[in-house]
Amino acid sequence: MSSSLFSVTTASSFSTLSTVSTPSGLDAHGWDADWAESFAPYAAQGLVPGRVVRVDRGQCDVAAPSGVVRADTAFVTPHDPLRVVCTGDWVAVDPEGASDPRYVRTLLPRRTVFARSTSSKRSEGQVLAANVDHAVIAVSLAVELDLGRIERFLALAWESGAQPVVVLTKADLVPDPVGLSYLVEDVETVAPGVRVLPLSSTTGEGVDVLSAVVAGGTTVLLGVSGAGKSTLANALVGEDVMSVRAARDVDGKGRHTTTTRNLFVLPGGGVLIDTPGLRGVGLWDAETGVGQVFSEIEELAVECRFHDCAHEAEPGCAVAAAIEDGTLPVRRLESFRKLMRENQRLVAKTDARLRNEIRKDWKRKGDAGRAAGEFKRSGRLR
């Protein structure tokens, strides 16, 4: 790993950490007065602050005031997978010479958490990045747009507390400006309140605009394999920090070139967390995020006659009226229902009360269906 990616200084005194001072070497990684205040109790114990830049096999690289140090995470490996050490975390580590190996002793409270559900049958969550300000969703223009997948990424991004940005990579493959504008418009329809930026890492188009957007904060780069994330990371960092492989021409997919989540300091300010390509984008307790993605449906639902309207066959349904007059695409409503059902099923697996409510709702709907069927049959008999 290139040493130029991190601010390296000589060791400095930590006696002032109980105030709102900034330890030399951490300012480029996002250290501020609030982090200093959170760290003050651990400074009194002689621990050292740092930000996790990489995690692998129970150990992590931590950017500390004196440089990048290696630390063991054994002391902060909880049963809750959402509390494991993750790239982007701010931590307290042993001072130099205190132990061999050095240990991460605690995590500072996270400001934001980008998490998804795993493919595990235990319905566990997985933290992809912590303390993120921007979530850049890379979508390749080398293949047909998958609007449903973009909506999934956006739901997770909004739920995390980060501001999403959709980047349409490989824009040089769409030389027709009019055709490109239509693609941008298509994505904008599923991304209310989100900036959509066409970009080419090959020609440099849009890279400077994105650099300005993400400067001064922490950005996580997300997308499926083959979306051009590694190439984009290299363009933003200004050097080849990530290896790149060509995507298959047949479907635009690529093999994983990024196997761990890595944090890099950006030359224009801010830091970037690159992530491996995601094959699955499962929701994790993301009801608020889904509502944000489908804000137009949430706004229409307020006008429905019944507050618990399912937007199916109820009288006075404003959502159904919008479908009928063409102002709301059917695909949007179907996608909204799909994500809400998925999220509800996931939450129900870990929430007994909600699971019971869902069963009662299914029973009510079943009883209503049977009653309607009996009514129709009795009418035919007469």
Side-chain angles (χ1 to χ4, degrees):
M1 186 176 295
S2 172
S3 60
S4 64
L5 299 179
F6 305 102
S7 299
V8 180
T9 65
T10 58
S12 59
S13 170
F14 297 98
S15 61
T16 57
L17 285 175
S18 58
T19 67
V20 293
S21 62
T22 301
S24 178
L26 290 185
D27 51 348
H29 293 82
W31 183 267
D32 58 26
D34 290 335
W35 288 122
E37 184 177 353
S38 295
F39 185 76
Y42 307 107
Q45 300 172 26
L47 298 178
V48 178
R51 192 165 197 190
V52 177
V53 299
R54 186 171 181 268
V55 180
D56 62 277
R57 299 180 182 179
Q59 292 190 317
C60 62
D61 292 334
V62 178
S66 60
V68 179
V69 302
R70 190 73 169 164
D72 196 293
T73 65
F75 279 97
V76 285
T77 304
H79 296 296
D80 182 358
L82 294 176
R83 292 295 302 163
V84 299
V85 176
C86 180
T87 303
D89 272 323
W90 285 96
V91 297
V93 299
D94 290 326
E96 186 175 0
S99 64
D100 186 19
R102 296 171 77 167
Y103 288 97
V104 173
R105 296 295 175 173
T106 191
L107 301 181
L108 298 190
R110 291 164 172 164
R111 293 178 182 175
T112 60
V113 178
F114 196 100
R116 67 164 179 173
S117 66
T118 66
S119 58
S120 169
K121 294 182 179 180
R122 297 191 298 272
S123 302
E124 294 179 340
Q126 178 191 23
V127 179
L128 298 180
N131 302 311
V132 171
D133 301 297
H134 301 96
V136 172
I137 302 164
V139 179
S140 173
L141 291 179
V143 294
E144 184 177 355
L145 290 175
D146 186 337
L147 298 180
R149 179 181 290 151
I150 294 173
E151 288 165 342
R152 282 178 170 273
F153 273 112
L154 288 170
L156 291 175
W158 282 122
E159 190 68 32
S160 74
Q163 172 66 47
V165 179
V166 177
V167 172
L168 303 181
T169 64
K170 308 182 184 182
D172 54 294
L173 298 180
V174 188
D176 177 21
V178 176
L180 181 60
S181 68
Y182 285 148
L183 292 171
V184 172
E185 185 177 334
D186 287 343
V187 176
E188 288 176 338
T189 61
V190 303
V194 175
R195 185 166 188 173
V196 180
L197 177 64
L199 181 148
S200 171
S201 300
T202 301
T203 66
E205 175 193 356
V207 174
D208 57 339
V209 178
L210 181 60
S211 296
V213 170
V214 303
T218 297
T219 299
V220 62
L221 186 54
L222 304 154
V224 299
S225 297
K229 293 188 289 74
S230 295
T231 305
L232 179 55
N234 290 339
L236 291 172
V237 175
E239 57 181 287
D240 291 338
V241 294
M242 305 302 299
S243 60
V244 177
R245 292 177 180 171
R248 298 189 303 231
D249 291 335
V250 64
D251 56 10
K253 294 182 179 179
R255 289 175 292 175
H256 291 304
T257 56
T258 305
T259 56
T260 59
R261 291 177 284 279
N262 304 277
L263 185 148
F264 306 104
V265 173
L266 298 175
V271 297
L272 176 71
I273 299 174
D274 190 25
T275 63
L278 301 176
R279 291 190 177 92
V281 193
L283 301 183
W284 180 259
D285 197 6
E287 182 175 352
T288 300
V290 173
Q292 185 76 28
V293 176
F294 298 92
S295 56
E296 78 276 33
I297 297 178
E298 297 274 278
E299 292 169 2
L300 286 168
V302 176
E303 305 299 324
C304 291
R305 181 181 301 177
F306 304 108
H307 70 87
D308 59 347
C309 183
H311 317 310
E312 293 175 348
E314 296 87 347
C317 176
V319 174
I323 292 289
E324 188 173 349
D325 64 24
T327 57
L328 177 66
V330 174
R331 193 207 68 79
R332 283 286 279 174
L333 180 58
E334 291 176 345
S335 184
F336 171 73
R337 286 172 171 164
K338 179 180 180 179
L339 293 183
M340 289 297 283
R341 285 196 301 267
E342 177 183 325
N343 189 72
Q344 190 177 49
R345 285 196 300 269
L346 179 69
V347 175
K349 290 181 179 180
T350 57
D351 188 329
R353 180 187 59 80
L354 179 59
R355 187 162 58 246
N356 189 47
E357 289 179 357
I358 292 175
R359 289 196 183 108
K360 289 181 179 178
D361 184 56
W362 287 343
K363 187 177 185 302
R364 283 194 299 269
K365 289 182 178 179
D367 291 343
R370 284 190 292 273
E374 291 175 1
F375 178 79
K376 290 180 180 179
R377 286 193 295 274
S378 64
R380 287 197 298 268
L381 288 175
R382 287 198 297 271

